[in-house]
Amino acid sequence: MSIRTFIFCDICNPQGLRSVEFRRRPRDERTGRRLSDGRSWFEGESIMIAVKNGWSINRDGKHICPACKAHAELE
């Protein structure tokens, strides 16, 4: 048995919604994104793996997905 960590984007998915049925393929740059509404989440072994996949944690400890991070950098 392995322990899985679920991280939800505090910008686009503050309610922590996850639906396995709608998960995209792992090769997509928006891994873990739901097809239905674009709310982002990450499933992995640790937060460090999420960070290696483009996620970030701000000073307040909020998790930010790669898409929201890129959008914030454009502003």
Side-chain angles (χ1 to χ4, degrees), residues 6-32:
F6 295 94
I7 301 167
F8 302 95
C9 181
D10 289 313
I11 295 174
C12 66
N13 192 5
Q15 295 173 327
L17 300 176
R18 176 180 168 263
S19 178
V20 177
E21 300 86 46
F22 296 112
R23 189 169 180 175
R24 293 180 187 250
R25 295 188 339 221
R27 293 186 189 130
D28 187 21
E29 71 276 359
R30 294 168 56 174
T31 299

Side-chain angles (χ1 to χ4, degrees), residues 22-74:
F22 296 112
R23 189 169 180 175
R24 293 180 187 250
R25 295 188 339 221
R27 293 186 189 130
D28 187 21
E29 71 276 359
R30 294 168 56 174
T31 299
R33 290 238 171 220
R34 293 172 10 140
L35 292 171
S36 59
D37 60 9
R39 294 181 182 174
S40 185
W41 53 275
F42 177 85
E43 175 184 356
E45 295 177 11
S46 71
I47 292 176
M48 295 311 300
I49 293 174
V51 170
K52 289 179 182 179
N53 284 296
W55 284 69
S56 62
I57 304 170
N58 70 7
R59 294 179 190 181
D60 298 329
K62 294 185 178 189
H63 301 107
I64 303 170
C65 71
C68 289
K69 180 179 171 184
H71 185 269
E73 291 173 356
L74 293 174

